[in-house]
Amino acid sequence: MLTTHSRFGILNSFRFQIVAGSILLLLISAVTLVITNQRLIQSNTLEAFNANRRQISQMLNLSISPYSSSDRLEELKPFLEEMLDGGNYGISYLLLIRSDGKIVMRVGAVPEPLPPPDVDIPRAFNTGAVHSSQPILLENNTVADMRWGMSTNTLLQTAQQAKRDSMVVVFVGILIAGSLAVSMGVNAASRLRKIGEASQSLVDGDYG
């Protein structure tokens, strides 16, 4: 059984300090790298979603306006139904509401009750669906409220998978770097110990 003195001797040994310091430095670097990668993945995913959301908004406006101004929305409905993706990614529903509350057109599975438009897009993105609203011109210069939703489930799953892959890569890198660091630390400590012993021998008058 190790005595208290021998335990502290191990903890205070130069070799142990080098190895422990190397491992601690690697752990700190790994945690920092994982956090940075996860934030970067989340940021890039949200940025890609916002860009796609803007494009869809413009496309809907350009597609619907010519038909709505001439009261031919039913002709456009098959095209809009083709844009729906079943709730995985992209448009999940679309609703046109007149100022008097009358529904002009309904496409897809509109949630009940109708959710209000999201203001905090990052928070809504993480919930799995983003609800939007924009005005659109109908016949006789009347304005309707176009409400539509986008599912983010597929993007969230892709981002989570990318985060897990990133953590695996970092973990493997830490194992490899840790093994090398421990090996180099032990080797360096051993050489320094021999130098120290030789120096001590010279101090003690042993010149052999």
Side-chain angles (χ1 to χ4, degrees):
M1 180 179 295
L2 292 174
T3 64
T4 302
H5 178 75
S6 60
R7 289 196 190 100
F8 281 105
I10 293 174
L11 293 177
N12 292 328
S13 69
F14 190 64
R15 180 183 301 183
F16 175 82
Q17 291 176 4
I18 288 181
V19 173
S22 300
I23 294 176
L24 180 61
L25 181 61
L26 285 172
L27 288 176
I28 294 174
S29 301
V31 171
T32 303
L33 184 59
V34 168
I35 293 175
T36 302
N37 283 346
Q38 297 213 349
R39 287 180 177 175
L40 184 61
I41 291 171
Q42 184 72 15
S43 175
N44 289 342
T45 304
L46 183 59
E47 184 178 343
F49 170 78
N50 284 329
N52 189 46
R53 180 169 168 265
R54 289 191 294 269
Q55 291 175 354
I56 289 179
S57 174
Q58 295 170 359
M59 181 181 63
L60 287 174
N61 192 56
L62 292 174
S63 300
I64 294 175
S65 291
Y67 289 86
S68 61
S69 59
S70 58
D71 197 18
R72 297 162 50 207
L73 288 174
E74 287 301 319
E75 299 178 23
L76 185 64
K77 198 169 182 179
F79 166 74
L80 295 175
E81 289 174 344
E82 286 294 324
M83 293 179 60
L84 301 181
D85 69 338
N88 293 319
Y89 177 60
I91 302 176
S92 54
Y93 72 89
L94 187 142
L95 196 66
L96 292 184
I97 310 174
R98 292 184 186 273
S99 57
D100 59 4
K102 180 182 178 180
I103 296 177
V104 180
M105 184 173 63
R106 178 193 297 262
V107 180
V110 181
E112 297 290 347
L114 184 64
D118 290 308
V119 177
D120 189 349
I121 302 301
R123 184 200 65 79
F125 176 84
N126 289 324
T127 64
V130 175
H131 306 280
S132 304
S133 173
Q134 65 188 77
I136 191 167
L137 189 66
L138 298 180
E139 74 281 359
N140 301 322
N141 292 325
T142 59
V143 178
D145 184 17
M146 182 171 69
R147 305 286 290 273
W148 53 286
M150 288 184 67
S151 173
T152 62
N153 290 325
T154 299
L155 275 177
L156 286 173
Q157 292 174 5
T158 302
Q160 289 299 325
Q161 184 61 49
K163 290 177 181 179
R164 286 192 292 267
D165 293 344
S166 173
M167 292 182 65
V168 170
V169 171
V170 170
F171 180 72
V172 172
I174 287 299
L175 285 179
I176 295 174
S179 300
L180 292 174
V182 169
S183 177
M184 293 173 64
V186 170
N187 188 31
S190 178
R191 293 185 178 183
L192 289 174
R193 181 179 57 80
K194 291 179 180 179
I195 293 175
E197 291 175 351
S199 300
Q200 186 62 42
S201 297
L202 292 176
V203 171
D204 294 339
D206 183 4
Y207 302 103

